[in-house]
Amino acid sequence: MKERILVTGGTGYIGSHTVVELQNSGYEVIIIDNLSNSTADVVDNIEKISGIRPVFEKLDCQDYEGLDALFGKYPGIKAIIHFAASKAVGESVEKPLLYYRNNLVSLINLLELMPEHQVKGFVFSSSCTVYGEPDELPITENALIKQATSPYGNTKQINEEIVRDTVASGAPIEVILLRYFNPIGAHPTALLGELPNGVPQNLVPFLTQTAMGIREKLSVFGDDYNTPDGSCIRDFINVVDLAKAHVVAIDRILQGKQKEKVEIFNIGTGRGLSVLELIHAFEEATGVKLNYQIVGRRAGDIEKIWADPEFANRELGWTAVETIEDTLRSAWNWQLKLRERDIQ
Ligand code: WQD
């Protein structure tokens, strides 16, 4: 059995896929989650896939004493992957203090407790949102960090700074910041996927719900951008590919392969796809026609962004491998499974 890893937010969308990949690589996983945006039965589905039931404790990372007790109860945790955070851009504009409190306090608690409990490694869920509207594409890790366009985005920037300052102060921790592009899709078993709360804000959950008839039509926000077909361009990355990047990051830290105490990697495919291209790829991959219409731009949207993943490819030995067709089929199969389970 390999080392014990704590995954915060481990019943969430990206967290749950990562737990499976960690287990597949032989790590022992402890999940904590406050279940604010997920349900405990995710643990059953993780077990169905990996054959191993991870430890699950319902716990909020804002609860310092609870976290302290958790490290006592499960000694020997070698590293943390920190997913637990509030992540809805629109909601963060409405409730900034909730976002700042949750996303900052959770991180600070973990960083304070790590040295006390001899936890060495820390992998943090950051986001390409820290780049804002890029000046050059594809975007590398050295690109300028732009003023955040939402409190949510700002929490990611501040979290990166908190981590950097903590390490610079001499804290005995080693960190990898993973800047995700746009994670989509679901586990190929359709046992894990994204379960949006209420009306989805993100493109793919809205798209699959429209294809299912839950939503009448998908609105495409703008076709007058400076892109070949006028719609925005994103780097859509399969969630299982993304999950695997975390395993590689943990391996790298625990095997002492880091070149700096804080390393940053873009986790994307390097392929920019427009919103309209994605819609057509979905129709081709699934054979399902989508009802969509072009509407006005959404405030705050970035026109085009995709990753230069070369540094991650070379240094981590990690590359996104899933095709967009398989990824969109997996999202659709997950939506079909949700209907079967009468969830959505
Ligand atoms: C993608 C594209 C929309 C919905 C956000 C966060 C980011 C990240 C992922 C965390 C855009 C268009 C969308 C719809 C549409 N992090 N769209 N119709 O905005 O790139 O990134 O989510 O959780 O930090 O900012 O993702 O999926 O919302 O949008 O046309 O109904 O799809 O305008 O061009 P985004 P998204």
Side-chain angles (χ1 to χ4, degrees):
M1 178 59 87
K2 276 211 230 167
E3 290 91 342
R4 191 173 253 191
I5 309 295
L6 175 65
V7 179
T8 77
T11 50
Y13 173 45
I14 306 171
S16 57
H17 289 82
T18 301
V19 170
V20 166
E21 296 307 320
L22 286 166
Q23 291 179 321
N24 286 346
S25 299
Y27 286 107
E28 183 195 348
V29 179
I30 314 242
I31 296 176
I32 56 173
D33 202 300
N34 66 2
L35 301 181
S36 61
N37 198 22
S38 60
T39 51
D41 62 358
V42 169
V43 179
D44 302 332
N45 289 338
I46 291 172
E47 184 181 6
K48 277 184 203 151
I49 298 171
S50 67
I52 304 162
R53 191 167 185 85
V55 169
F56 169 71
E57 299 273 355
K58 182 168 185 271
L59 186 61
D60 191 314
C61 291
Q62 293 178 74
D63 176 358
Y64 184 91
E65 281 74 31
L67 279 179
D68 197 18
L70 181 101
F71 285 114
K73 185 170 173 190
Y74 301 98
I77 290 171
K78 290 285 183 292
I80 300 171
I81 305 181
H82 182 41
F83 293 105
S86 304
K87 61 154 194 172
V89 174
E91 187 189 42
S92 79
V93 177
E94 311 284 314
K95 302 174 186 164
L97 296 180
L98 185 142
Y99 273 67
Y100 285 112
R101 184 190 295 277
N102 186 27
N103 293 2
L104 302 193
V105 171
S106 295
L107 175 74
I108 293 166
N109 283 345
L110 290 168
L111 293 176
E112 275 186 351
L113 284 163
M114 284 176 68
E116 282 182 36
H117 294 277
Q118 291 84 47
V119 185
K120 174 183 158 198
F122 194 75
V123 175
F124 178 67
S125 298
S126 191
S127 168
C128 69
T129 187
V130 301
Y131 297 124
E133 186 77 57
D135 296 322
E136 269 178 58
L137 285 163
I139 198 150
T140 72
E141 290 82 353
N142 301 322
L144 222 64
I145 301 297
K146 300 268 182 71
Q147 169 102 48
T149 53
S150 72
Y152 160 73
N154 204 22
T155 67
K156 290 292 172 195
Q157 292 189 2
I158 297 170
N159 278 357
E160 286 200 1
E161 286 170 12
I162 291 173
V163 165
R164 261 194 287 264
D165 289 345
T166 306
V167 171
S169 76
I173 57 180
E174 308 205 350
V175 181
I176 292 183
L177 307 175
L178 298 180
R179 290 184 180 153
Y180 314 153
F181 283 70
N182 286 55
I184 61 166
H187 198 270
T189 59
L191 285 164
L192 298 175
E194 189 171 7
L195 239 188
N197 242 338
V199 182
Q201 304 298 311
N202 294 116
L203 177 60
V204 169
F206 203 104
L207 183 156
T208 55
Q209 288 195 5
T210 306
M212 183 59 85
I214 300 169
R215 311 281 159 206
E216 194 204 330
K217 63 173 82 132
L218 170 70
S219 297
V220 174
F221 297 136
D223 70 346
D224 56 353
Y225 285 99
N226 181 23
T227 60
D229 65 22
S231 63
C232 291
I233 297 180
R234 294 290 182 274
D235 185 335
F236 297 99
I237 175 167
N238 183 291
V239 67
V240 176
D241 276 335
L242 173 59
K244 288 178 176 164
H246 294 79
V247 178
V248 176
I250 288 288
D251 288 345
R252 182 174 174 92
I253 294 174
L254 297 186
Q255 292 165 11
K257 289 189 181 153
Q258 280 192 286
K259 296 188 174 152
E260 290 170 67
K261 283 184 168 292
V262 180
E263 292 181 323
I264 302 175
F265 296 101
N266 278 344
I267 302 299
T269 65
R271 169 195 61 206
L273 210 66
S274 77
V275 172
L276 288 169
E277 283 173 329
L278 183 103
I279 289 172
H280 298 136
F282 176 84
E283 292 182 326
E284 293 238 325
T286 62
V288 180
K289 271 307 237 191
L290 204 73
N291 188 19
Y292 68 89
Q293 68 171 17
I294 313 284
V295 300
R297 293 181 177 196
R298 183 172 73 175
D301 261 340
I302 286 164
E303 181 171 272
K304 44 181 182 265
I305 184 164
W306 63 93
D308 181 343
E310 200 270 333
F311 186 55
N313 298 161
R314 177 164 41 89
E315 275 299 315
L316 293 177
W318 167 91
T319 305
V321 294
E322 298 295 337
T323 64
I324 192 72
E325 289 77 18
D326 284 345
T327 302
L328 290 168
R329 263 192 294 271
S330 74
W332 179 232
N333 288 337
W334 166 246
Q335 186 69 61
L336 292 169
K337 199 57 164 270
L338 287 178
R339 187 177 57 179
E340 230 173 74
R341 286 163 60 193
D342 217 11
I343 296 176
Q344 252 162 10

